[in-house]
Amino acid sequence: METCMLHFLFWQTVEKQNKSIKAHNEAIEKGEKPGAKKSEIKCLIGCELFITKDHNDKSKQDNGYSIPFLAKVKRVMRIFLN
């Protein structure tokens, strides 16, 4: 559960930073502030899954292989963490 909370806090921090960046860019467009526009942060959260043929068969070694799964949307991230 701690991992879920950490991901949520990370995502929340990124959204807060992006709001600040949007406000900065809007102020530049209106001429209220000098400087260059900033790019928003895109958040990617994922996990690495290890796939084996049969994890119950201990008679032979099966290192399997890993597959990374990435989530770009909060809804998908919540599926990973549940």
Side-chain angles (χ1 to χ4, degrees):
M1 196 62 171
E2 289 177 12
T3 304
C4 181
M5 189 60 167
L6 288 174
H7 285 128
F8 175 74
L9 292 174
F10 172 73
W11 208 295
Q12 196 175 32
T13 303
V14 168
E15 285 182 344
K16 184 178 176 183
Q17 183 65 27
N18 281 341
K19 284 181 185 177
S20 170
I21 291 170
K22 284 179 186 177
H24 172 80
N25 290 342
E26 287 174 4
I28 289 174
E29 287 176 2
K30 292 177 183 176
E32 299 169 356
K33 197 179 214 183
K37 286 187 177 183
K38 297 180 181 179
S39 297
E40 290 184 32
I41 300 169
K42 293 188 180 183
C43 191
L44 285 174
I45 295 179
C47 62
E48 182 179 16
L49 301 177
F50 288 91
I51 309 298
T52 62
K53 288 184 180 180
D54 184 6
H55 72 277
N56 292 320
D57 184 9
K58 305 295 182 192
S59 63
K60 58 183 175 192
Q61 183 177 357
D62 182 9
N63 293 333
Y65 53 94
S66 66
I67 298 177
F69 284 88
L70 301 175
K72 293 197 296 186
V73 184
K74 277 187 197 178
R75 180 175 41 90
V76 176
M77 181 194 69
R78 290 179 199 270
I79 293 169
F80 282 156
L81 298 176
N82 287 332

